[in-house]
Amino acid sequence: MAELEKKPVKIVETILRDAHQSQIATRMTTEQMLPIVDKLDKVGYHAVECWGGATFDASLRFLHEDPWERLRKLRDGFKNTKLQMLFRGQNILGYRPYADDVVEYFVQKSAANGIDIIRIFDCLNDLRNLQTAVSAANKEKAHAQVALSYTLGDAYTLEYWTDIAKRIEDMGADSICIKDMAGLLLPNKATELVTALKETVKIPIDLHTHYTSGVASMTYLKAVEAGVDIIDTAMSPFALGTSQPATEVMVETFKDTPYDTGFDQKLLSEIADYFRPIRDEALDSGLLNPKNLGVNIKTLLYQVPGGMLSNLTSQLKEQHAEDKFYDVLEEVPRVRKDLGEPPLVTPSSQIVGTQAVFNVLMGERYKMVTKETKDILLGKYGATVKPFNPEVQKKCIGDEKPITCRPADLLDNELEKLESEMAQYKEQDEDVLTYALFPQVAMDFFKYRQAQKTKVDEKAADKKNGAYPV
């Protein structure tokens, strides 16, 4: 009888993407990843998240690696495990909306190079910004997972989440992820939210959170008991702090319960042993800031994600205005409300944070307005859950008329144009997509790649620091 009750929780391992992105600025190299792939492949993970997010940009910009090459090498190594990526809806992996033809081509090439699961999110939860990517993933027979950017606020009721989940299921998503980027989901709220979602949709539900505020492991326990299907964890050397709860700890937590993963702790400990020296090296070099490993309770008090907190600190430091830190933290929720109460995740977190800094430093709110703040108020990022503050909108954009359509509807197809701009450097089809996302960085990388081919002297490349040969 007890056999029937078994419901092993599935685990997505984030060590090759979100964990090192959250703790060491996405600096893990492909060379550091490959030797451990064989062991990771034996664990029995639901998937390994290894691509997308900031890995694409960081590979090119800091490591001088081709992200497509990384994906192909990982695909070769993982024989039994699904590979997952994070995809910013119409923004793909860049910071502006792209035309539909670029989004479709990117999804096609991601799947062709080895991605099985595409986690797609939008910083405003505007489903219109997700539809193209979801349909493209369906067409490529990739698994389309739509992520809800989880946040708190008047607008974000249980009804809001269940309604949006139903619409996501109807748009063709294969699963839903609750993406709690700031670690705001409290344990009892997780019980409530997961229970409501499981009653609303039939597709699987994944929970992704960060340990920043200190509650994440307890939240996972409650969510799993409430029926969540999948949780995202990180191997212990890169777990906790701004990353995810530790894989080994969650495996041990569910041992001998109906949710037992059945994972082998001996194998996990061998994997942890492999990553520990990489973590220690990052600590010694200053790449891993010990501050990122503690609990930051300000996250819960001000609903500000960890990455955004460090941005605010550095902006204020540059202006010699560190004493204004708490004034800025108090201004953030006010700006967020003025801008329609969006979730705070890339890029909305940067937009709200920077505007809050200006409002405080100028001594007058919206005396100086960033281009991005204007663009949000002009509807160029999509629709917010709540209306904008009309006085703020008037002060920032005057009589300009905001758009109400899907922002990408105003964009013409751009693949051909992009192709013609970079044709002389093209060595593979994927290069046009690399150029589309980061034109300047891509050009530098293409030139570096060419130079490497003509040079035989391997010793000249400073591989350790990932710098150009001098």
Side-chain angles (χ1 to χ4, degrees):
M1 190 69 199
E3 281 301 298
L4 294 176
E5 292 167 8
K6 279 195 174 167
K7 190 185 180 268
V9 63
K10 294 174 177 166
I11 289 189
V12 171
E13 176 57 64
T14 66
I15 186 88
L16 301 185
R17 205 285 299 175
D18 201 3
H20 74 108
Q21 180 176 321
S22 297
Q23 291 195 348
I24 59 166
T26 332
R27 294 296 204 280
M28 205 183 286
T29 64
T30 306
E31 220 169 80
Q32 288 174 314
M33 296 174 183
L34 294 178
I36 198 64
V37 162
D38 191 42
K39 282 184 177 167
L40 284 168
D41 196 31
K42 292 187 172 83
V43 174
Y45 291 119
H46 169 66
V48 169
E49 188 195 52
C50 61
W51 212 60
T55 61
F56 200 95
D57 185 358
S59 294
L60 293 162
R61 196 185 297 265
F62 303 114
L63 308 173
H64 310 305
E65 291 186 2
D66 179 3
W68 298 100
E69 194 54 32
R70 170 181 295 185
L71 175 54
R72 290 190 284 265
K73 284 177 175 170
L74 290 171
R75 181 67 285 166
D76 281 349
F78 281 104
K79 311 287 187 214
N80 315 302
T81 312
K82 289 188 168 131
L83 299 186
Q84 181 173 310
M85 75 172 291
L86 182 67
F87 193 101
R88 296 188 192 121
Q90 211 66 31
N91 294 358
I92 311 179
L93 305 174
Y95 302 100
R96 71 168 176 91
Y98 292 88
D100 287 338
D101 64 337
V102 181
V103 175
E104 286 160 0
Y105 195 44
F106 202 99
V107 169
Q108 186 192 327
K109 284 297 181 190
S110 300
N113 281 282
I115 289 293
D116 301 290
I117 303 170
I118 304 182
R119 176 178 291 171
I120 308 159
F121 79 99
D122 175 65
C123 74
L124 302 182
N125 287 332
D126 183 342
L127 299 192
R128 301 173 307 170
N129 293 336
L130 301 170
Q131 186 65 68
T132 301
V134 170
S135 302
N138 293 157
K139 188 179 167 207
E140 297 303 322
K141 308 262 186 298
H143 178 110
Q145 182 180 84
V146 172
L148 300 166
S149 298
Y150 180 78
T151 189
L152 305 172
D154 303 342
Y156 300 96
T157 60
L158 260 188
E159 290 71 39
Y160 168 83
W161 297 118
T162 52
D163 171 59
I164 203 168
K166 190 80 202 99
R167 285 161 58 207
I168 285 168
E169 186 173 48
D170 293 344
M171 81 193 284
D174 298 299
S175 63
I176 288 174
C177 171
I178 304 161
K179 181 176 162 60
D180 178 23
M181 53 281 164
L184 297 175
L185 183 60
L186 299 174
N188 292 329
K189 287 289 178 200
T191 303
E192 218 174 80
L193 179 59
V194 171
T195 304
L197 291 177
K198 291 301 282 182
E199 285 166 3
T200 307
V201 296
K202 293 186 172 62
I203 54 179
I205 296 171
D206 185 331
L207 176 56
H208 172 95
T209 188
H210 289 252
Y211 207 87
T212 325
S213 62
V215 299
S217 298
M218 295 180 279
T219 297
Y220 275 172
L221 178 61
K222 287 293 199 184
V224 169
E225 288 172 348
V228 95
D229 302 278
I230 309 158
I231 54 174
D232 291 14
T233 65
M235 287 303 302
S236 56
F238 284 94
L240 310 186
T242 46
S243 175
Q244 279 74 48
T247 306
E248 305 96 309
V249 174
M250 296 320 299
V251 165
E252 200 62 19
T253 300
F254 296 118
K255 199 175 164 192
D256 300 330
T257 74
Y259 315 106
D260 195 334
T261 60
F263 288 4
D264 175 358
Q265 283 286 19
K266 189 174 168 302
L267 176 60
L268 291 176
S269 107
E270 287 169 18
I271 295 169
D273 287 345
Y274 176 82
F275 283 108
R276 208 166 286 111
I278 299 175
R279 191 263 320 265
D280 294 344
E281 196 184 315
L283 261 172
D284 294 343
S285 70
L287 195 54
L288 174 53
N289 182 339
K291 277 186 187 159
N292 290 345
L293 301 176
V295 165
N296 197 332
I297 204 63
K298 291 193 200 95
T299 302
L300 288 180
L301 295 177
Y302 298 102
Q303 296 163 32
V304 174
M308 187 176 165
L309 279 169
S310 48
N311 269 353
L312 293 178
T313 317
S314 64
Q315 283 180 356
L316 289 171
K317 203 171 185 168
E318 276 170 31
Q319 302 296 325
H320 306 294
E322 286 145 291
D323 57 320
K324 298 279 195 283
F325 183 63
Y326 286 99
D327 297 342
V328 170
L329 278 185
E330 279 161 23
E331 177 64 2
V332 165
R334 292 195 284 264
V335 172
R336 183 177 168 232
K337 224 176 177 64
D338 291 339
L339 302 187
E341 221 170 314
L344 295 177
V345 62
T346 305
S348 52
S349 50
Q350 288 88 328
I351 298 168
V352 168
T354 304
Q355 191 57 55
V357 169
F358 279 134
N359 287 2
V360 168
L361 295 187
M362 290 292 171
E364 181 194 324
R365 304 185 77 228
Y366 304 103
K367 183 178 183 176
M368 189 168 168
V369 185
T370 67
K371 177 188 180 297
E372 289 77 15
T373 297
K374 285 181 183 166
D375 283 350
I376 277 204
L377 293 166
L378 283 165
K380 289 186 182 176
Y381 284 89
T384 50
V385 179
K386 286 226 157 149
F388 302 128
N389 177 332
E391 287 163 30
V392 168
Q393 193 176 21
K394 180 86 178 131
K395 184 169 182 178
C396 296
I397 64 170
D399 295 326
E400 262 193 90
K401 203 167 164 36
I403 62 166
T404 53
C405 65
R406 180 183 75 119
D409 287 343
L410 303 174
L411 300 174
D412 293 327
N413 279 352
E414 49 183 335
L415 258 181
E416 271 184 38
K417 178 178 166 289
L418 291 162
E419 180 91 51
S420 67
E421 288 171 15
M422 55 69 69
Q424 68 180 105
Y425 292 105
K426 185 175 166 183
E427 292 184 12
Q428 57 178 351
D429 289 346
E430 291 80 1
D431 286 345
V432 67
L433 292 164
T434 303
Y435 174 77
L437 296 190
F438 304 104
Q440 192 50 59
V441 176
M443 277 305 188
D444 291 346
F445 172 73
F446 295 154
K447 287 171 187 166
Y448 169 74
R449 184 172 65 184
Q450 272 189 355
Q452 289 303 94
K453 291 209 163 101
T454 52
K455 266 215 319 270
V456 220
D457 187 5
E458 270 292 288
K459 294 187 196 86
D462 179 1
K463 285 218 174 91
K464 186 168 183 295
N465 299 314
Y468 287 126
V470 179

